[in-house]
Amino acid sequence: MQLLVNIDHVATLRNARGEGYPDPVEAAKICEQAGASGIVFHLRKDRRHIKTEDVYRLKETVKGDLDFEMAATEEMLTISKDVNPKLVTLVPESREELTTEGGLDMEKVFEDFRDRVFPAYADTDITTSLFVDPNEKDIELAAKLGSDAIELHTGTYANATTEADRNHELKRLKEGAELAHNLGMKVNAGHGLNIDNLIPLVETVPHLNDISIGHALVSSALFDGLDETVKKFLLIMNTATN
């Protein structure tokens, strides 16, 4: 199990004043030095946090896995193929949302992904992943497309307010991970994960490969430092799985 740190919100803070700091690329370096296995970023159409130039600098700098989150637009397909990251994670994107609000509607996007998106990566070494809710139908369609991996949307679990709801979502995530694994796909997970809800997730959900954590980690780093915060999350992950 690997920790990939999403550095989008370092860029958000930088952009708030239009200054050159804090630099998300420098943050990526610190995260890797502290033990993170790689870096996640989401290049949005509106460039609200990560900018195009950040992407190329991250490609030059990151030593571990680089996960390029993106909507399946022609612009992003072109940029991602040029950058050639280890992993591309296709996500839904709405201009009005504050952050990604849920998984892909696989029935809605299936034909477009089959005819246009996946063929674009056929001649590359880029690993493909689809950001999906833990629904049987969505996971089966991801496998039918030939996706190398899925990233399970953990936001509903993270936002659950009762123990019953949390347990229900953990059950869905566990079943989704088992199904994806049995269908031959790697299982990643992310969205809304923090110090408190990470332990039950990694103790319950099997076959997890990459865990993507951003907002909570960057927020904690304001008080504890980025290096120490990455180590804290890694300790939780390692302790919970041993």
Side-chain angles (χ1 to χ4, degrees):
M1 187 185 306
Q2 300 187 139
L3 172 63
L4 303 188
V5 179
N6 187 314
I7 44 86
D8 288 351
H9 290 288
V10 177
T12 301
L13 182 58
R14 174 196 63 187
N15 298 347
R17 287 284 297 269
E19 304 285 355
Y21 60 88
D23 182 0
V25 178
E26 289 301 316
K29 290 180 184 179
I30 294 171
C31 290
E32 287 199 298
Q33 289 167 0
S37 297
I39 300 297
V40 184
F41 65 89
H42 184 170
L43 183 64
R44 287 178 173 266
K45 180 179 180 180
D46 62 11
R47 308 303 199 267
R48 67 176 65 170
H49 31 61
I50 295 295
K51 309 295 186 184
T52 305
E53 55 268 29
D54 296 327
V55 176
Y56 287 91
R57 292 176 60 225
L58 285 166
K59 172 62 178 179
E60 293 176 354
T61 303
V62 171
K63 306 299 183 185
D65 293 347
L66 188 61
D67 182 0
F68 189 145
E69 288 188 355
M70 52 175 261
T73 65
E74 285 301 315
E75 178 192 28
M76 294 304 161
L77 289 174
T78 299
I79 295 173
S80 64
K81 290 182 68 176
D82 188 45
V83 172
N84 194 37
K86 169 69 180 299
L87 174 66
V88 159
T89 300
L90 299 167
V91 302
E93 185 176 304
S94 168
R95 191 177 72 172
E96 294 79 13
E97 67 186 5
L98 293 176
T99 184
T100 307
E101 296 174 341
L104 290 159
D105 182 339
M106 289 304 301
E107 287 188 293
K108 183 177 180 180
V109 304
F110 182 83
E111 289 187 3
D112 178 49
F113 279 25
R114 180 194 63 198
D115 298 339
R116 180 181 63 90
V117 178
F118 274 72
Y121 292 112
D123 60 348
T124 74
D125 295 325
I126 298 172
T127 299
T128 55
S129 178
L130 299 175
F131 187 67
V132 298
D133 292 308
N135 300 325
E136 181 178 347
K137 184 68 171 179
D138 288 329
I139 295 169
E140 289 176 343
L141 287 174
K144 189 175 180 180
L145 279 172
S147 188
D148 300 306
I150 60 165
E151 180 175 337
L152 289 171
H153 173 233
T154 55
T156 306
Y157 157 68
N159 293 327
T161 56
T162 68
E163 183 176 359
D165 286 345
R166 282 191 293 273
N167 290 337
H168 173 70
E169 292 304 322
L170 280 173
K171 182 174 182 291
R172 293 179 66 221
L173 289 163
K174 178 181 179 181
E175 292 173 349
E178 289 172 340
L179 175 60
H181 176 74
N182 290 336
L183 290 171
M185 295 182 291
K186 288 185 177 179
V187 182
N188 303 327
H191 201 79
L193 298 175
N194 58 38
I195 291 289
D196 297 321
N197 60 36
L198 182 59
I199 294 176
L201 179 81
V202 299
E203 287 181 339
T204 304
V205 181
H207 311 302
L208 291 175
N209 189 57
D210 295 342
I211 304 292
S212 175
I213 304 178
H215 185 262
L217 192 151
V218 172
S219 297
S220 296
L222 292 174
F223 302 97
D224 299 328
L226 190 53
D227 178 89
E228 288 302 315
T229 303
V230 170
K231 291 177 180 176
K232 184 186 298 184
F233 275 88
L234 284 169
L235 179 62
I236 289 172
M237 290 169 59
N238 293 332
T239 301
T241 54
N242 291 333

